[in-house]
Amino acid sequence: MSITINIWINEERYAKLQKAGLADMAEEVLAGLKVIKVPCTEEQKDKVLKVFPTAKYDSATTKSIELLPREVKDKIFDLVVEKQSIDIMDEFLKNY
């Protein structure tokens, strides 16, 4: 299983995805909640954890990076929409 950053999709984010023609990127996970799973390599995960000290990697269950600040997740989401791709972590990490 690969490492991901889960971006939860609220109505506002879903509207942005729909407008950009990317609504199918959102995966329904439970009770109507949608998520975009942005993949990370091991190196990207290490850099994210170093740059954002509040972040934690859940190696036990979800294999995802959790507890990123909201503004960081917003930037990742905006980059997904801008690039129309979930493969954006190299681009995102250039700024850090």
Side-chain angles (χ1 to χ4, degrees), residues 30-84:
L30 50 103
L33 290 174
K34 295 182 183 341
V35 70
I36 289 178
K37 296 183 177 189
V38 178
C40 294
T41 64
E42 191 72 31
E43 295 77 25
Q44 290 166 337
K45 172 196 74 137
D46 292 343
K47 185 164 183 182
V48 167
L49 295 177
K50 183 178 176 188
V51 172
F52 305 104
T54 60
K56 302 285 181 246
Y57 175 60
D58 179 356
S59 60
T61 56
T62 62
K63 304 284 189 249
S64 64
I65 299 170
E66 304 292 337
L67 305 176
L68 282 168
R70 179 180 170 90
E71 62 272 11
V72 173
K73 286 195 170 190
D74 287 346
K75 286 180 186 172
I76 292 170
F77 175 79
D78 290 344
L79 202 53
V80 166
V81 172
E82 179 188 327
K83 301 294 182 185
Q84 299 191 355

Side-chain angles (χ1 to χ4, degrees), residues 6-40:
N6 294 330
I7 307 291
W8 292 95
I9 305 302
N10 58 19
E11 285 182 29
E12 179 186 336
R13 284 181 174 165
Y14 193 67
K16 286 182 182 177
L17 288 174
Q18 286 178 313
K19 189 175 178 183
L22 304 172
D24 60 335
M25 277 187 172
E27 180 182 318
E28 191 163 325
V29 283
L30 50 103
L33 290 174
K34 295 182 183 341
V35 70
I36 289 178
K37 296 183 177 189
V38 178
C40 294

